[in-house]
Amino acid sequence: MLESVRPGVPRLPEWAHALIFLIVGLLGWYFLDDTWVRMLFLVTLYATLGMGLNVVVGLAGLLDLGFVAFFATGAYVVAIWGAPISPSVDGVVNYWVLLPMAVFAGAGIGMLLGLPVLPLRGDYLAIVTLGFGEIIRILALNMDDYTRGSSGIFALAKPDYGAETVDSVREFFIMILIAAMAVWFVTARLRDSKVGRAWEAIREDEDVAQGMGINTVRYKLMAFAIGASIGALGGAIYAPFVDFVAPAQFSLIVSINVLALVIIGGMGNTTGVIAGSAMLIGVPELLQFQETADVLAKFEWLRDGLNVFIDGFNAVSFADLGKLPPSEEWGDKLALYRFIVFGALLVMVMVLRPSGLFPSRRRELEFTAEEPAPAGSA
Amino acid sequence: MTVIFLTSAEFWADQLVNGLTTGSIYALIALGYTMVYGVLQLINFAHGEVFMIGSFAGYGVLVAMGGDDTSGAMIALALVLAMIAASAASMGTALAIERIAYRPLRNAPRLAPLISAIGVSVFLSHLVDDGFLTGRSKYYPSIFPDGALELGPLTISALQIFLMGSSLAMMGGLWWVIQRTKLGRGIRAVAESRDNASLMGIDVNRAIVVTFALGAIMAGVAGVLYGLFYSAIRGSMGFIPGVKAFTAAVLGGIGSVQGAVIGGYFLGLTETVGRELLNEIPGVSLPNQWKDVVAFSLLVLVLIFRPNGIFGQKETKRA
């Protein structure tokens, strides 16, 4: 019964979505220049982070507002043990040892944070994770003996393969693409397993789930640890890519970015997460490219036309609306105003399409079915 | 260690006063969290931004009334007008948020209003920061007269007296509204049980709106006091005080009005005095930012050991 939500509209199976994403990525990698591949890297990185947070928020229904903490954990593990400059550790550990170390550290920190709060109700989790994200940043800023504080750690050890090292944008893109595919596979298998059904049961009604014999704390902790380790994996790949790890990169904004793309893309749905990442991370980057500016320049007449109207309005009213900026500034403006748009989008999506723009099939079913208002709750 | 304790009574007295000052700001903001939570079981994530808008409205009035050059009786008038404008702006913001982002989701799954609240919070703080201020801070005019009261080792500046006094007055007013008026009785009834209150003929929607309005008035006044005390204001200013005030509300037992006030003062004292006490341990040196770490650690500890709050009795776990 889950096969078709709208009868008559055939839908591609999920592995086909993954294949399309892989082919598009590889085509981009082959044909486009480095600036574009850099954008593709960021989109794929955030999509991977989104898949991790999706396990926590979309599947298990736990609101985690401090996802950046795990991202930072991964990055700092790779930086502290992998950079000669790091003050507390002598020598350099091979990247391929550090990568699993970072993933385990993420899972460990996730469990450490989850253990005290997961038995409590969900709202508390949101605030505690929010606070925890800030604590990690403040710790990184102040523990100079380990993190070099705000000066940050750079010149990290790069991953190597054979005699080569991964040091170009293109090589890093392949790396994150492999990571994204692996994470997609793992999370999709988990979702379709007993574990995934337990998560969804907890998300829908924790008391009922417990009544059905699900050990809710254990499964919530598992979701939290898996999400955290994916966040750390992203951080561990991001750190050598930018080759600089400093507290300023791990602000609340990263958490909000990831949360926004998961929710706007469609909670519980990996294809939606990728679409969300392309929209929220890719588009603002894209608009800053010279090529885009050249294309947009062809629409300057539209701007001029609109400016005539605005001038007219300014002339008859007391207000001064200014003018629309020339097209080469649009990308910068959108990057600047991005979070204003995010905030408004979050509210709009919640109010108009609470299941996201591309909801998972099961969610779509839930939201289209007539649902009686739960009595007594908010 | 003892030597430092004995020689610096003034130092500890200063910390005490500072703790009470920040505590009263936390308490005022915490009231908004706890009241909304009481009636809707919703963490109003955008409350920190309601506080921020109030602070900016107050700033606008103070600048319009002459800024740094205000003098004499005009200072008192400017302060009163600033607080009224701040309360009105905060109230307008809170009511708009309730109408647009919360009311349509009142029967939605729990996560939905929480996410929409975060959306409002991101929208408002970035609208002010990126849209209007482009990353710069504004500075409150320093119009408050100097002068201080000395009581033995205690030195309290006139501004601190004003701050603590006006927050106490606001809390007294709120207590009167909640305990002594028909509106307040409605709010208490809705907090007890929304369905039963509705059956008793209470307009539940109105009670919810009034709750948001009262919390916003407190936050608006807190915004002006914050601006006078810390001077720099910006769009993201609501975040840390917001989280701290929520912590205060949890400390006192969320949903409880007295608890929020006690929690606010308790948190203010703990993070100033607590950090200095930790600094007394040889070899430990905690910069000012560690205040936040102290506060958040306190929140986690309370949630583990006393999920109903240090002073709360009601069962809030899995409510």
Side-chain angles (χ1 to χ4, degrees):
Chain A
M1 96 192 217
L2 292 177
E3 282 314 304
S4 172
V5 174
R6 281 161 300 198
V9 184
R11 294 178 68 159
L12 288 172
E14 198 179 0
W15 60 263
H17 289 230
L19 197 66
I20 292 171
F21 176 68
L22 188 67
I23 290 170
V24 168
L26 287 175
L27 284 176
W29 171 78
Y30 191 77
F31 287 108
L32 296 172
D33 65 29
D34 279 3
T35 346
W36 287 78
V37 175
R38 200 191 129 76
M39 178 207 70
L40 290 178
F41 174 88
L42 289 176
V43 169
T44 317
L45 171 74
Y46 270 90
T48 313
L49 295 176
M51 289 179 218
L53 188 64
N54 194 24
V55 170
V56 184
V57 179
L59 295 181
L62 305 166
L63 191 53
D64 179 356
L65 297 179
F67 200 62
V68 67
F70 311 122
F71 184 62
T73 305
Y76 268 109
V77 165
V78 169
I80 290 176
W81 277 276
I85 196 179
S86 116
S88 55
V89 179
D90 290 329
V92 169
V93 182
N94 185 293
Y95 181 84
W96 298 115
V97 178
L98 289 176
L99 189 70
M101 230 169 95
V103 172
F104 279 115
I109 297 236
M111 286 210 257
L112 208 67
L113 175 67
L115 262 177
V117 279
L118 284 175
L120 299 170
R121 38 183 306 159
D123 321 27
Y124 285 142
L125 184 72
I127 288 280
V128 170
T129 49
L130 185 73
F132 186 71
E134 278 294 292
I135 288 185
I136 287 276
R137 195 179 59 81
I138 296 171
L139 285 180
L141 199 58
N142 288 294
M143 290 170 60
D144 296 16
D145 298 343
Y146 299 92
T147 63
R148 288 174 40 93
S150 54
S151 9
I153 300 176
F154 46 88
L156 275 64
K158 298 285 192 300
D160 51 2
Y161 58 100
E164 305 278 320
T165 52
V166 177
D167 50 9
S168 72
V169 177
R170 313 185 85 80
E171 286 165 315
F172 271 111
F173 175 63
I174 292 298
M175 205 171 138
I176 192 75
L177 202 59
I178 294 171
M181 285 298 137
V183 168
W184 190 336
F185 181 74
V186 170
T187 51
R189 295 308 295 156
L190 277 172
R191 183 198 54 207
D192 294 338
S193 71
K194 182 183 157 220
V195 179
R197 284 193 299 276
W199 285 337
E200 287 180 321
I202 292 169
R203 180 188 72 205
E204 290 315 311
D205 193 320
E206 210 178 315
D207 293 333
V208 173
Q210 197 161 30
M212 302 304 284
I214 293 170
N215 184 343
T216 53
V217 173
R218 191 173 143 231
Y219 279 104
K220 286 203 283 185
L221 202 57
M222 202 193 269
F224 212 66
I226 289 170
S229 54
I230 296 173
L233 173 75
I237 297 177
Y238 176 74
F241 172 74
V242 289
D243 203 18
F244 180 59
V245 177
Q249 292 159 313
F250 305 113
S251 64
L252 177 70
I253 288 306
V254 178
S255 302
I256 290 174
N257 255 323
V258 181
L259 183 73
L261 70 89
V262 168
I263 287 161
I264 291 168
M267 274 189 277
N269 175 18
T270 310
T271 315
V273 168
I274 289 170
S277 177
M279 257 167 61
L280 298 185
I281 307 295
V283 171
E285 290 277 327
L286 196 71
L287 280 173
Q288 293 175 66
F289 290 168
Q290 188 54 49
E291 289 92 331
T292 324
D294 292 344
V295 174
L296 289 176
K298 300 201 172 84
F299 294 93
E300 289 266 289
W301 55 269
L302 187 65
R303 176 185 74 96
D304 294 339
L306 283 173
N307 271 340
V308 170
F309 279 107
I310 294 175
D311 280 342
F313 182 79
N314 285 344
V316 296
S317 73
F318 297 106
D320 184 12
L321 294 179
K323 280 181 183 235
L324 292 176
S327 61
E328 40 296 0
E329 289 175 23
W330 289 355
D332 291 338
K333 286 266 186 272
L334 189 72
L336 178 65
Y337 297 143
R338 180 163 79 205
F339 294 106
I340 307 179
V341 179
F342 274 19
L345 270 178
L346 277 182
V347 178
M348 265 169 53
V349 168
M350 274 302 116
V351 173
L352 301 175
R353 275 184 77 100
S355 51
L357 295 181
F358 312 97
S360 73
R361 286 176 198 189
R362 204 178 291 186
R363 281 228 146 185
E364 203 167 2
L365 273 178
E366 286 158 14
F367 279 98
T368 42
E370 276 302 312
E371 221 180 322
S377 70
Chain B
M1 202 164 138
T2 8
V3 180
I4 305 171
F5 266 91
L6 286 174
T7 50
S8 56
E10 282 85 5
F11 174 75
W12 290 105
D14 277 352
Q15 296 306 322
L16 187 75
V17 174
N18 283 339
L20 287 175
T21 313
T22 41
S24 36
I25 293 179
Y26 293 158
L28 277 181
I29 308 174
L31 283 167
Y33 277 107
T34 216
M35 282 171 32
V36 167
Y37 195 91
V39 296
L40 283 180
Q41 283 78 49
L42 164 76
I43 298 177
N44 183 4
F45 255 105
H47 194 59
E49 277 60 43
V50 169
F51 156 81
M52 178 271 291
I53 297 282
S55 193
F56 273 92
Y59 166 82
V61 169
L62 289 182
V63 169
M65 296 282 289
D68 284 330
D69 302 326
T70 322
S71 60
M74 286 299 278
I75 296 178
L77 182 65
L79 286 176
V80 170
L81 285 182
M83 285 191 187
I84 293 175
S87 300
S90 289
M91 202 166 101
T93 314
L95 296 190
I97 295 172
E98 196 271 332
R99 187 71 195 80
I100 296 167
Y102 298 157
R103 198 179 296 183
L105 295 171
R106 214 174 274 167
N107 290 320
R110 255 203 121 79
L111 214 52
L114 212 54
I115 290 168
S116 129
I118 293 162
V120 172
S121 161
V122 173
F123 175 77
L124 286 177
S125 61
H126 283 274
L127 184 69
V128 171
D129 261 349
D130 305 336
F132 298 121
L133 298 180
T134 54
R136 289 185 300 270
S137 293
K138 293 277 179 202
Y139 295 92
Y140 255 63
S142 54
I143 59 167
F144 209 83
D146 293 330
L149 184 68
E150 295 204 15
L151 293 167
L154 279 178
T155 311
I156 315 177
S157 74
L159 177 58
Q160 284 177 318
I161 295 176
F162 174 73
L163 206 151
M164 289 189 249
S166 38
S167 50
L168 279 178
M170 292 306 293
M171 291 174 211
L174 181 70
W175 180 85
W176 183 81
V177 170
I178 292 179
Q179 297 296 333
R180 290 281 182 271
T181 65
K182 208 174 159 188
L183 273 176
R185 209 183 322 149
I187 293 175
R188 281 181 290 141
V190 173
E192 206 68 46
S193 158
R194 204 190 301 169
D195 294 341
N196 283 350
S198 167
L199 290 173
M200 295 298 132
I202 290 167
D203 185 342
V204 173
N205 262 335
R206 201 173 79 141
I208 290 172
V209 166
V210 171
T211 307
F212 271 92
L214 288 175
I217 291 171
M218 300 290 135
V221 171
V224 174
L225 297 177
Y226 181 96
L228 288 171
F229 193 66
Y230 293 101
S231 178
I233 58 169
R234 54 189 309 157
S236 55
M237 68 185 266
F239 174 63
I240 289 286
V243 177
K244 296 274 188 69
F246 176 78
T247 306
V250 172
L251 287 177
I254 193 150
S256 145
V257 172
Q258 303 93 308
V261 173
I262 300 171
Y265 285 114
F266 182 78
L267 184 67
L269 284 174
T270 316
E271 66 172 31
T272 46
V273 180
R275 180 176 67 91
E276 294 302 338
L277 276 177
L278 289 175
N279 267 340
E280 293 287 316
I281 303 169
V284 175
S285 147
L286 303 177
N288 199 34
Q289 279 181 317
W290 284 69
K291 265 190 348 197
D292 302 348
V293 177
V294 173
F296 291 135
S297 315
L298 194 65
L299 173 67
V300 175
L301 288 177
V302 168
L303 285 179
I304 302 170
F305 295 109
R306 300 270 331 213
N308 305 331
I310 298 182
F311 313 103
Q313 316 98 28
K314 262 184 15 188
E315 178 65 27
T316 44
K317 193 180 174 183
R318 294 190 190 288

